[in-house]
Amino acid sequence: MSADTKTGLQLRSLIKKSGELEISLQSVPVPEPGPDEVVVRVEASPINPSDLGLLVGAADMSTAKASGTKESPVVTAKVPEAGMRAMAGRLDESMPVGNEGAGVVIKTGSSDAAKALMGKTVAILGGAMYAQYRCLRIAECLPLPAGITPAEGASCFVNPLTALGMTETMRREGHKALVHTAAASNLGQMLNKICLKDGIGLVNIVRSEEQAGILRKIGAKHVVDSTAASFMDDLTNALVETGATIAFDAIGGGKLAGQILTGMETAINKTAKVYSRYGSSVHKQVYIYGGLDLRPTELNRGFGMSWGVGGWLLTPFLQKIGPADGARLRQRVVDELKTTFASHYTQVVSLQEALQLNHIAVYAKRATGEKYLINPNKGG
Amino acid sequence: MSADTKTGLQLRSLIKKSGELEISLQSVPVPEPGPDEVVVRVEASPINPSDLGLLVGAADMSTAKASGTKESPVVTAKVPEAGMRAMAGRLDESMPVGNEGAGVVIKTGSSDAAKALMGKTVAILGGAMYAQYRCLRIAECLPLPAGITPAEGASCFVNPLTALGMTETMRREGHKALVHTAAASNLGQMLNKICLKDGIGLVNIVRSEEQAGILRKIGAKHVVDSTAASFMDDLTNALVETGATIAFDAIGGGKLAGQILTGMETAINKTAKVYSRYGSSVHKQVYIYGGLDLRPTELNRGFGMSWGVGGWLLTPFLQKIGPADGARLRQRVVDELKTTFASHYTQVVSLQEALQLNHIAVYAKRATGEKYLINPNKGG
């Protein structure tokens, strides 16, 4: 570790009590690793939808302004008053960002397990990854096989484990097939590959014919377009064919979650023998794991009484299944990193470039098909 | 059993494909009881909100018209087209109504257990109770102690077991206190008595100061009025004081379920130490068990990711806890029938009177404080 790696740049997001978001780069000391820790030079970290929540929070990025210098840019934007309530817990606190990434171990602690990682390329999870250097416990590092680059291993955790978490949750809660929305996303494509490989019925809901095409090209069997006039019929038919009674919804707002429950109830009742004014006794579940549509969720409750809607997050799911099952899922990700779990990025940017308004305008709109990778050591 | 009890009147609800509701009285044969069955002369059966769903369905009762004769009245009403989808499973099928009731055993099957019930007053559960006679399996009969009248025992199941089901669910799902809406109802008053007796924290949400007064009079500690300007603050304070993280909601539609989750999240975060953009990790649950407000449920999702909203029904709950725990709950109801589980009725009507438009106008509006009891053998 040379003298110039005693400090490193780290991206910070700050929301002030005054209602202003400020994104900047700070020079922070690189900690000395403890016995079971290592220092990783971060070379790749994706901008996932889950990172944007922390990075831009409730700010209205159409008000974004650039200032600072080329080497140390600053972006500011207004947070609408309606959004400030949800920001209460983080006000005036400068927060590092970036859930996951990959890089090379450049310094280790004194333990044998730490020393064994020296020079290795590792996938890393634990926040604050939009930084040149990151000190981590070895348990937070997943050594990658030879031949895997940091860019290839940067998205080992969030999307792959979320996709696997969906099929695991489906099985554990007694369902046999599932529904996924915003289904042409990077995550959605992974989920299709898992379901095709594992023989699981999957109903993909997309919001355009173009997105439907992306999924059909990778072999998806059931793709329905929520903007089509025939959407409810198409959805119900796919639910009859698959028997799906659980859905994972990245949209969150509007009527979609309720439409899925209605479609499931209609599909179930096509084979029902006896009328019950409470609807079918088959439990129908929608888990909301994202909020691409920030409007309220609207449920018309025309789907009987055996239903649930709730939040779903990867971290509590991993806590629930325990370390052994978690390790099994992570091993599958590593084994299939160049196939099932391959991620595709449309842009690779430096920390400074990530703060350029032209890039923010693209990645902050969370559009399917646009995926950014930050290389904090790009050009450095 | 005299010659004139070979047939009896039974109330029927029919929704025709044409979009018309028809409520009438039919003369139906009284079945011969099998070995383990008895015939009960029904003398009391309440009109619960859960009965109204079957009795009037999605019909618009402001369009109700009376026809037929005094002895055999008929009521018709229009079902709005928007409501017909939910009625699909019951079209052109004449359905008996009435979940529970009480009466006197007038004929028994050949088994000793059946014979032992002869002449006894029993509480009964199983549907089709708006009828002069009802043949039931002995397992569907709960013998009442001497001194309990059919009117006193008519509501042994739905409200008492629902109220007990709420506190049981609260405990089983790891919560320590609960919230109840439409809390001044007959059911809500029972729930207050249970919680006071068992030392459980209960937040009562009502929709008027008058209803708040009803609850305070019976000793309720936390009563908040959703029509007050200070509602969210009042609710949050009560949630802080009780630590309630589960709610049972009879309203269903509108923003209330989401407001309860928001209040819970705010209350939890008052003691949170670390910011998480996903909100608190404490699971917050709202179970919707009624639909007093037929509008869509609107969730603004400003309450983190650890939450669930779902349907809750007594029958699946009893199936889940099993017969031994079910029997324990039923025994408590019988033991406390004149105290905790006493029901109060504002009207006792015959089957014919139940079909008078002036009575329908009162009981079909599901107003808190108005509770009808049908005596199918009144005056007969």
Side-chain angles (χ1 to χ4, degrees):
Chain A
M1 201 168 172
S2 61
D4 62 352
T5 59
K6 290 207 168 151
T7 62
L9 287 179
Q10 186 182 63
L11 187 149
R12 291 292 187 86
S13 172
L14 169 68
I15 291 180
K16 299 175 185 172
K17 278 207 182 73
S18 61
E20 188 181 62
L21 165 73
E22 181 185 281
I23 309 174
S24 63
L25 303 181
Q26 306 286 319
S27 181
V28 296
V30 179
E32 275 299 303
D36 281 319
E37 293 181 334
V38 298
V39 173
V40 176
R41 185 179 66 232
V42 183
E43 296 186 8
S45 178
I47 303 181
N48 287 316
S50 52
D51 296 308
L52 285 171
L54 192 56
L55 182 61
V56 306
D60 174 3
M61 296 311 285
S62 72
T63 67
K65 289 201 175 79
S67 59
T69 64
K70 185 165 183 254
E71 284 310 298
S72 187
V74 175
V75 172
T76 55
K78 298 260 170 255
V79 181
E81 206 172 313
M84 284 297 282
R85 192 187 180 115
M87 300 294 108
R90 57 169 287 185
L91 292 183
D92 288 341
E93 212 174 307
S94 175
M95 313 201 73
V97 187
N99 283 313
E100 66 180 337
V104 176
V105 175
I106 57 163
K107 191 172 188 184
T108 78
S110 56
S111 74
D112 289 345
K115 284 181 185 165
L117 289 177
M118 187 64 198
K120 291 268 168 65
T121 298
V122 290
I124 47 186
L125 180 71
M129 296 304 172
Y130 299 165
Q132 291 182 299
Y133 303 99
R134 179 74 166 83
C135 184
L136 295 134
R137 284 174 289 124
I138 53 177
E140 296 170 308
C141 301
L142 181 64
L144 295 171
I148 302 279
T149 66
E152 288 169 335
S155 295
C156 267
F157 299 100
V158 178
N159 278 348
L161 292 180
T162 299
L164 287 172
M166 291 174 181
T167 56
E168 284 283 315
T169 300
M170 176 201 80
R171 282 195 204 93
R172 283 165 192 257
E173 299 189 1
H175 306 271
K176 68 168 191 171
L178 75 166
V179 177
H180 188 225
T181 72
S185 65
N186 216 296
L187 171 64
Q189 294 181 40
M190 278 183 196
L191 185 60
N192 271 280
K193 290 177 194 165
I194 294 168
C195 289
L196 285 168
K197 191 161 185 180
D198 296 359
I200 296 168
L202 171 64
V203 177
N204 294 278
I205 300 179
V206 296
R207 287 170 293 174
S208 72
E209 263 312 300
E210 187 195 342
Q211 292 169 353
I214 294 172
L215 290 178
R216 289 205 186 90
K217 206 181 287 177
I218 62 166
K221 283 178 195 154
H222 303 281
V223 186
V224 298
D225 180 353
S226 62
T227 65
S230 58
F231 171 57
M232 279 309 297
D233 288 339
D234 299 343
L235 174 61
T236 305
N237 289 339
L239 292 167
V240 168
E241 284 171 37
T242 56
T245 46
I246 185 169
F248 290 87
D249 175 29
I251 309 285
K255 298 185 182 199
L256 186 59
Q259 288 174 318
I260 294 168
L261 291 170
T262 299
M264 288 174 175
E265 179 72 1
T266 306
I268 292 161
N269 284 335
K270 287 204 172 183
T271 54
K273 298 278 177 288
V274 180
Y275 174 69
S276 160
R277 76 162 212 86
Y278 296 116
S280 79
S281 59
V282 178
H283 184 78
K284 300 163 291 293
Q285 180 70 39
V286 174
Y287 283 117
I288 295 175
Y289 74 95
L292 293 176
D293 184 334
L294 296 171
R295 291 177 302 161
T297 310
E298 202 181 297
L299 307 169
N300 70 9
R301 303 194 313 287
F303 34 72
M305 290 296 277
S306 297
W307 61 276
V309 173
W312 190 93
L313 272 185
L314 178 58
T315 306
F317 165 75
L318 290 174
Q319 281 163 354
K320 186 155 69 176
I321 69 171
D325 279 329
R328 175 174 57 79
L329 298 185
R330 276 193 301 276
Q331 189 55 49
R332 179 169 177 185
V333 176
V334 170
D335 292 345
E336 302 175 28
L337 200 49
K338 292 206 174 191
T339 54
T340 315
F341 301 108
S343 284
H344 304 284
Y345 305 97
T346 48
Q347 289 277 353
V348 180
V349 293
S350 67
L351 285 171
Q352 290 82 3
E353 287 165 342
L355 268 62
Q356 287 175 10
L357 296 184
N358 58 326
H359 287 306
I360 293 175
V362 177
Y363 66 68
K365 77 179 176 204
R366 299 165 163 87
T368 295
E370 290 287 354
K371 182 91 183 172
Y372 269 65
L373 188 69
I374 295 178
N375 178 354
N377 284 286
K378 185 185 174 191
Chain B
M1 201 165 169
S2 61
D4 62 353
T5 58
K6 290 203 167 152
T7 63
L9 288 179
Q10 186 182 65
L11 187 150
R12 291 293 187 86
S13 172
L14 169 69
I15 290 180
K16 299 176 184 172
K17 276 207 184 70
S18 61
E20 188 181 64
L21 165 73
E22 182 186 281
I23 309 175
S24 63
L25 303 180
Q26 305 285 316
S27 181
V28 297
V30 179
E32 275 299 302
D36 281 318
E37 293 181 335
V38 298
V39 173
V40 175
R41 185 179 66 231
V42 183
E43 296 186 8
S45 178
I47 304 181
N48 287 316
S50 52
D51 296 308
L52 285 171
L54 193 55
L55 182 61
V56 306
D60 174 3
M61 296 312 285
S62 72
T63 67
K65 289 201 176 78
S67 59
T69 64
K70 184 164 183 255
E71 284 309 298
S72 187
V74 175
V75 171
T76 55
K78 298 261 170 257
V79 181
E81 207 170 313
M84 284 297 281
R85 191 187 181 118
M87 300 293 108
R90 58 169 289 186
L91 292 183
D92 288 341
E93 214 173 307
S94 175
M95 313 202 74
V97 187
N99 283 314
E100 66 180 337
V104 177
V105 175
I106 57 162
K107 191 172 186 182
T108 78
S110 56
S111 73
D112 288 345
K115 283 181 187 167
L117 290 176
M118 188 65 198
K120 291 268 168 66
T121 297
V122 290
I124 48 185
L125 180 71
M129 296 303 173
Y130 299 165
Q132 291 182 300
Y133 304 98
R134 180 74 165 82
C135 184
L136 294 134
R137 285 175 289 124
I138 53 176
E140 296 170 308
C141 301
L142 180 63
L144 295 171
I148 302 281
T149 66
E152 288 170 335
S155 295
C156 266
F157 300 100
V158 178
N159 278 347
L161 291 180
T162 299
L164 287 172
M166 291 173 181
T167 56
E168 283 284 315
T169 300
M170 176 202 81
R171 280 195 204 92
R172 283 164 192 258
E173 299 190 1
H175 306 271
K176 68 168 190 171
L178 75 166
V179 178
H180 187 226
T181 73
S185 65
N186 214 297
L187 171 63
Q189 294 180 39
M190 278 183 195
L191 185 60
N192 271 281
K193 291 177 194 165
I194 293 168
C195 289
L196 285 168
K197 192 162 185 178
D198 296 0
I200 296 168
L202 171 64
V203 178
N204 294 278
I205 300 178
V206 296
R207 288 170 293 173
S208 72
E209 263 312 300
E210 188 195 340
Q211 292 169 354
I214 294 172
L215 289 177
R216 290 207 185 89
K217 204 182 288 178
I218 63 166
K221 283 179 197 155
H222 303 281
V223 186
V224 298
D225 180 353
S226 61
T227 65
S230 58
F231 171 57
M232 279 309 297
D233 288 338
D234 299 343
L235 175 61
T236 305
N237 289 340
L239 292 167
V240 169
E241 284 172 37
T242 57
T245 46
I246 185 170
F248 290 87
D249 175 30
I251 308 286
K255 298 186 181 193
L256 186 59
Q259 287 173 319
I260 294 168
L261 291 171
T262 300
M264 289 174 176
E265 179 72 0
T266 306
I268 292 161
N269 284 336
K270 287 206 171 182
T271 54
K273 299 278 177 284
V274 180
Y275 174 70
S276 160
R277 76 164 212 84
Y278 297 116
S280 78
S281 60
V282 178
H283 184 77
K284 300 163 291 293
Q285 180 70 38
V286 174
Y287 284 117
I288 294 176
Y289 75 95
L292 294 176
D293 184 334
L294 296 170
R295 291 177 302 162
T297 309
E298 203 181 296
L299 307 170
N300 70 8
R301 304 194 312 289
F303 34 73
M305 291 296 276
S306 297
W307 61 276
V309 173
W312 190 93
L313 273 184
L314 178 58
T315 307
F317 164 76
L318 291 174
Q319 280 164 354
K320 187 155 67 176
I321 68 171
D325 279 330
R328 175 175 57 79
L329 299 184
R330 275 193 301 277
Q331 189 55 49
R332 178 168 179 185
V333 175
V334 171
D335 292 345
E336 301 175 27
L337 200 49
K338 292 206 174 191
T339 54
T340 315
F341 301 108
S343 284
H344 305 284
Y345 305 97
T346 47
Q347 288 277 353
V348 179
V349 294
S350 67
L351 286 171
Q352 290 82 4
E353 286 165 343
L355 268 64
Q356 287 175 10
L357 296 185
N358 57 327
H359 286 306
I360 292 176
V362 177
Y363 66 68
K365 76 177 175 203
R366 299 165 162 89
T368 295
E370 290 286 352
K371 182 92 182 173
Y372 270 64
L373 188 69
I374 296 178
N375 177 354
N377 284 286
K378 184 186 173 192

